[in-house]
Amino acid sequence: MRSYFIRTFGCQMNKHDSERMAGLLEGAGFAPAKSIESADVIVFNTCCVRETADERLYGQVCSLKALKTGGRPDVIIAVGGCVGQRDGASVLKHAPHVDVVFGTHNIHELPSLLEAAERGRPAVSIVGAGESFSSDLPYVREHAWHAWVSIMVGCDNHCAYCVVPSVRGPERSRTVEEIVAEVSHLVADGVVEVTLLGQNVNSYGRDRYGEPRFAALLEAVAATGIRRIRFATSHPKDLSDETIAAMAALPALMPFLHLPVQHGSNRVLAAMNRRYTRETYFQRIAALRAAIPDIALSTDIIVGFPGETEEDFLETLDLVGRVAFDHAFTFIYSPREGTPAASLTETVPREVAQDRFDRLAALVHSLSLASNEREVGAVCECLIEGASRRDAAVLSARTPQNRLVHLPLPDGTSPDSLAGTFRQVRISAAHPWFLSGEFAE
Ligand code: SAH
Ligand code: SF4
């Protein structure tokens, strides 16, 4: 049987798209390969949101050239996802040994493109948004107990720095019925946690129903009996009181929210076209904490956006400190061709951006540690995820607030037999990026 290997870059949406690619390939008779070098088909599912992922992709694709010239000429290399969508046939200029190029809107074509490439390479197919909707494709889940569930694709927000709307197209929501049917099926199949996915889940339904229906969707998904519901990503301008109330009222909704703020200065937020102010962001955080006192919060922050002054940056530090995020993902701005911000000329010198990034990272680090330290001694229900990535004798688990906990593997058990089960855990020690714990029963 021929084998495949998928290398995924980027966001959760891409991870879920890779599960769909796996579903299609297994449907077409391929089996998962043990390593990239041994695979008959290698698929790169790519990300172009930031320059780093983009560069890493081309680096890795080019390094596979040796595989083809060194005795495996028949191996098929496919490039899909956001870079495929953006670059189309010009992927072949950077990497002439690539056999298949496809985009974000035609994942379903992957098996036929592989066949076409076998007859005569290269096979390139990119289609625009709206010509297909990939949410109902079969997929192979990475874990038996967890599923990503796409509730919408695309984004209508057009933040000045962001390439997503151009590679993922406009917002298109699935129906509530379709999503509920998928989650019910997953529950019957043993899934205990779903993560609802969209670029801006709070505006779910606007395109289809003429108004956002995210809170109603959360209620309908909770009614399936699923144990845990998470979702990503939320835009602060669209986080409604109804959504906060649904999160507070529904026990399956976990007390955790990723709410990207991007910047702390109103001037920069306006230049980024984020359409909220730091004051309205603080107000949303206050509403969340009033309704869900134990909520944990994470965010995304960009430093070095064109025109950012030291004063603007200090406002970011101030906002981060005041909100006291439990976790934050920090990025140095990278210009993306075709976005409005790419033409801004007041660029921040690399060393200045790096210095600001380091100062922000130090603050985020100390806040994460302080947040974890507050948990020591607490007992909470954790979902066991399986063996930790680094040590097979250590279990990884998640608290309701999405904190990662490492636990010793009990004697005579295997990580796989415990994955997907809920256990009471006592937190015994805090580290910056994870907690240590022990079984409390
Ligand atoms: N839809 C989500 C995530 C989009 S991309 C949202 O709106 O939050 C994930 C993160 O990448 C963004 O939140 C942003 O912080 C970062 N990002 C996007 N474009 C970027 C760019 N050009 N340079 C640096 N960071 C960027
Ligand atoms: Fe990009 Fe903004 Fe849309 Fe997020 S909301 S995907 S940052 S345009």
Side-chain angles (χ1 to χ4, degrees):
M1 197 187 250
R2 290 190 310 158
S3 64
Y4 71 92
F5 190 96
I6 303 174
R7 169 129 305 158
T8 310
F9 295 81
C11 64
Q12 292 154 334
M13 233 79 62
N14 267 15
K15 283 190 191 158
H16 189 37
D17 281 346
S18 291
E19 292 185 332
R20 293 192 179 103
M21 293 174 196
L24 286 163
L25 291 172
E26 294 192 14
F30 287 85
K34 293 214 165 51
S35 66
I36 193 162
E37 293 79 17
S38 66
D40 297 306
V41 169
I42 301 168
V43 184
F44 287 89
N45 185 11
T46 62
C47 170
C48 61
V49 165
R50 287 173 300 274
E51 208 170 4
T52 36
D54 217 335
E55 281 165 0
R56 264 176 58 213
L57 161 80
Y58 277 113
Q60 291 198 14
V61 171
C62 289
S63 71
L64 284 183
K65 199 171 166 190
L67 197 64
K68 280 202 152 185
T69 50
R72 306 240 7 244
D74 296 335
V75 65
I76 292 191
I77 299 174
V79 172
C82 299
V83 173
Q85 186 70 31
R86 184 196 62 189
D87 293 355
S90 57
V91 166
L92 303 167
K93 279 194 215 135
H94 296 277
H97 57 293
V98 165
D99 304 283
V100 170
V101 183
F102 61 110
T104 50
H105 306 291
N106 62 337
I107 291 171
H108 59 279
E109 284 187 49
L110 179 57
S112 59
L113 288 168
L114 293 175
E115 263 178 45
E118 271 167 2
R119 289 195 301 270
R121 64 176 300 276
V124 178
S125 175
I126 308 294
V127 303
E131 289 166 47
S132 71
F133 198 110
S134 61
S135 293
D136 30 17
L137 293 176
Y139 55 87
V140 176
R141 293 197 305 274
E142 190 185 347
H143 301 290
W145 49 270
H146 175 266
W148 309 104
V149 175
S150 163
I151 63 166
M152 62 199 296
V153 292
C155 183
D156 287 345
N157 284 315
H158 302 283
C159 301
Y161 50 80
C162 186
V163 76
V164 169
S166 78
V167 288
R168 292 273 176 183
E171 281 177 14
R172 279 172 302 139
S173 302
R174 294 169 82 194
T175 64
V176 173
E177 293 75 23
E178 227 179 307
I179 297 163
V180 167
E182 181 172 338
V183 176
S184 299
H185 177 79
L186 292 166
V187 171
D189 202 30
V191 169
V192 291
E193 180 181 75
V194 290
T195 306
L196 308 179
L197 288 182
Q199 293 296 348
N200 179 13
V201 291
N202 299 102
S203 64
Y204 164 77
R206 191 179 282 152
D207 56 304
R208 182 175 283 279
Y209 303 111
E211 56 173 16
R213 290 242 176 122
F214 188 55
L217 177 72
L218 290 178
E219 278 169 29
V221 171
T224 62
I226 185 86
R227 281 283 290 271
R228 284 187 169 186
I229 303 170
R230 300 187 185 279
F231 55 85
T233 302
S234 295
H235 194 299
K237 78 175 165 55
D238 296 312
L239 176 63
S240 67
D241 290 338
E242 289 75 24
T243 296
I244 297 176
M247 288 177 74
L250 300 166
L253 262 292
M254 291 294 102
F256 168 75
L257 187 67
H258 180 61
L259 193 63
V261 66
Q262 311 298 0
H263 212 278
S265 145
N266 284 339
R267 213 178 56 79
V268 178
L269 286 172
M272 287 177 161
N273 190 30
R274 289 291 288 178
R275 294 186 277 161
Y276 55 83
T277 60
R278 59 189 269 128
E279 290 76 20
T280 48
Y281 191 84
F282 285 136
Q283 194 275 333
R284 292 289 76 195
I285 298 294
L288 281 162
R289 287 193 166 138
I292 312 157
D294 62 343
I295 195 166
L297 296 165
S298 75
T299 198
D300 290 348
I301 304 161
I302 298 176
V303 300
F305 187 77
E308 179 192 73
T309 62
E310 174 65 16
E311 232 167 46
D312 292 323
F313 172 67
L314 290 177
E315 293 217 67
T316 291
L317 285 186
D318 175 73
L319 181 142
V320 170
R322 280 210 221 181
V323 174
F325 290 105
D326 299 277
H327 186 65
F329 299 92
T330 50
F331 307 105
I332 293 183
Y333 167 74
S334 66
R336 306 281 64 204
E337 214 181 304
T339 60
S343 55
L344 299 175
T345 48
E346 240 187 296
T347 52
V348 175
R350 183 78 208 178
E351 347 41 279
V352 174
Q354 185 65 51
D355 172 63
R356 289 178 188 163
F357 180 86
D358 294 344
R359 285 149 68 201
L360 177 63
L363 174 61
V364 165
H365 184 278
S366 71
L367 289 173
S368 292
L369 183 58
S371 158
N372 282 345
E373 279 168 347
R374 286 193 292 274
E375 296 305 300
V376 175
V379 174
C380 58
E381 187 179 64
C382 286
L383 171 55
I384 311 289
E385 297 192 337
S388 102
R389 267 191 230 152
R390 296 219 185 114
D391 185 349
V394 172
L395 287 173
S396 285
R398 292 275 165 183
T399 71
Q401 284 85 357
N402 210 33
R403 292 188 173 94
L404 175 64
V405 186
H406 284 169
L407 299 152
L409 180 67
D411 288 343
T413 58
S414 75
D416 287 349
S417 68
L418 291 169
T421 61
F422 291 91
R423 302 292 290 267
Q424 291 295 320
V425 168
R426 179 172 295 105
I427 306 303
S428 51
H431 314 276
W433 314 124
F434 69 98
L435 298 163
S436 301
E438 58 218 22
F439 289 108
E441 342 123 71

